Amino acid sequence: MKRRAILKNLTVLPLVGGIFGSIIPTEKTVAETSTGNKRDVFKELGLKTFINAAGSYTAMTSCLMPQEVMDAINSSSKEFVMLEEVQDRVGEKIAAMCHAEAAFVTAGCWSALVLGTAGVLTGMDPKKVLQLPKLEGTGMKSEVIIQKSHINGYDHALTNTGVSIIQVETLEEAEAAINNKTAMLWFLNREAPVGKIQHKEFLALAKKHNLPTMIDIAADVPPVENLWKFNDMGFDLVCISGGKALCGPQSTGILMGKKELIAAARLSAPPKGGNIGRGMKVNKEEIIGMYVALDEYVKRDHEKEWKLWEDKISVVNNIVLQVDGVKTEVVIPPIANHNPSLSITWDPEKTKLTRNELAEKLRKGNPAIETVPGDFGNNNIRVTVFMLKPGQEKIVATRLKEELLSASI
Ligand SMILES: *Cc1c(COP(=O)(O)O)cnc(C)c1O
């Protein structure tokens, strides 16, 4: 019904009009909304925003979504669609981009780990889906093999399904640990350099024993190739965060891999209920936002973006080096949050300041700035630039210089 028709009906139905009066917008509220008199919710809630020179941290709300992602979220919020169909279509697109057979959007990388493991355990058996996380007496397997050096808290996602973790160090130990209860072999990509078993031999072992494999690559782009590298390599399931470097909604992730395992994992995921994943809901706006974020990320000029980060690093570098006794070093984490950051060290004989004091001064300043505690002692902090908005590198640099100078002896 046209608005005019509704109003006309209301005038002839005064009783109903009384009830609807508070729901149907009046001329005045419509006019107010269209003037774009936006509500400042941060202000209303007394929330302090800050410049993020720390990085993509869950506690710091991780990343800012690009306009394209927000446009997709807004436009998809205006109609109803079937949630499973959204997952089907978005899953096909994601799978094609990442060289996987299938994919779906999960509530973070963590829930990709839970749901993927659930799929491995239950297969397409609806009775087993209902039984999780109880494994005993169900005929389901119950052990996941992990390298000791890959134990990092994230394996708790796997044990949510009821499985036990079997820790091994060498390839021989891994092979000896395999038995008829072994459900899966799990790999944490970030810790690959410190593990004794590398990707290819890990996969060969799994293949020899006909066991599924899962890899966690939560924060491991850039490089963009990592989106498909591990699918190409032969991992059966690959889990990544949507809300870290991909800059999708913070509460999203992707589970991708073999078609039958993805189908099985979805039995434990919403909108289906009576399963361990019902609380891991992702709404259509987030699923679509995730898709657009991934698409934008893949299409981006990654070399240009890296160069932009380097330029921002050199802005900060040139300004902080003006302080007597300051030394800097560009630090690039090899895997996970792989982007240039600047490690800044000052001479405690010349500057009387601890790293915690400096961090606190930056945090309390205006604008507030968050940094990373340094890896090299009490007179060192680190700043990243990949979460900065254009121009913020100058503010960060100037504030650092100011605080370092004011603490000079
Ligand atoms: C962040 C992270 C996760 C969890 O990802 P969410 O998207 O926050 O659920 C899992 N594994 C690793 C290695 C991570 O860094």
Side-chain angles (χ1 to χ4, degrees), residues 101-266:
E101 287 178 15
F104 76 107
V105 176
T106 58
C109 181
W110 185 279
S111 90
L113 298 169
V114 179
L115 297 173
T117 308
V120 164
L121 296 172
T122 65
M124 294 303 286
D125 185 342
K127 192 169 153 225
K128 289 178 176 167
V129 171
L130 295 177
Q131 287 169 325
L132 285 186
K134 180 177 174 289
L135 298 174
E136 215 181 306
T138 63
M140 281 187 269
K141 304 208 170 158
S142 58
E143 294 179 357
V144 174
I145 296 175
I146 305 183
Q147 295 184 67
K148 202 170 180 177
S149 52
H150 291 210
I151 297 287
N152 219 306
Y154 296 108
D155 46 290
H156 199 140
L158 312 181
T159 58
N160 278 357
T161 65
V163 298
S164 305
I165 303 297
I166 308 298
Q167 295 188 28
V168 299
E169 286 193 64
T170 62
L171 191 63
E172 293 69 37
E173 275 177 40
E175 182 143 38
I178 294 174
N179 65 71
N180 60 10
K181 288 186 277 185
T182 308
M184 179 174 85
L185 274 64
W186 188 78
F187 200 97
L188 178 55
N189 191 50
R190 194 183 72 194
E191 303 304 328
V194 294
K196 292 195 173 131
I197 315 171
Q198 291 309 304
H199 303 85
K200 296 222 165 108
E201 37 184 6
F202 184 86
L203 286 169
L205 177 68
K207 196 165 182 192
K208 182 175 164 192
H209 294 272
N210 202 18
L211 286 167
T213 49
M214 178 191 278
I215 188 166
D216 175 341
I217 61 162
D220 302 355
V221 290
V224 62
E225 294 81 25
N226 276 0
L227 287 170
W228 45 86
K229 181 176 172 183
F230 303 100
N231 289 309
D232 288 347
M233 213 184 249
F235 279 91
D236 297 296
L237 290 168
V238 178
C239 309
I240 188 166
S241 289
K244 291 181 179 169
L246 290 175
C247 289
Q250 186 183 9
S251 45
T252 59
I254 297 169
L255 178 68
M256 50 192 170
K258 293 285 178 316
K259 208 171 178 173
E260 63 277 15
L261 289 178
I262 298 298
R266 284 182 62 180

Side-chain angles (χ1 to χ4, degrees), residues 3 7 20-31 33:
R3 188 181 143 69
L7 290 178
F20 286 154
S22 59
I23 303 170
I24 295 177
T26 61
E27 296 292 354
K28 189 159 166 275
T29 57
V30 170
T33 341

Side-chain angles (χ1 to χ4, degrees), residues 22 25 32 40 61 123 127 133 183 185 199 230 270 279 321 325 358 378 380 390:
S22 59
E32 272 168 3
D40 185 346
T61 62
K127 192 169 153 225
L185 274 64
H199 303 85
F230 303 100
L321 281 180
L358 177 55
N378 220 2
N380 166 260

Side-chain angles (χ1 to χ4, degrees), residues 317-330:
N317 192 42
N318 292 339
I319 294 179
V320 295
L321 281 180
Q322 292 165 11
V323 180
D324 185 29
V326 165
K327 290 200 175 76
T328 58
E329 194 189 345
V330 177

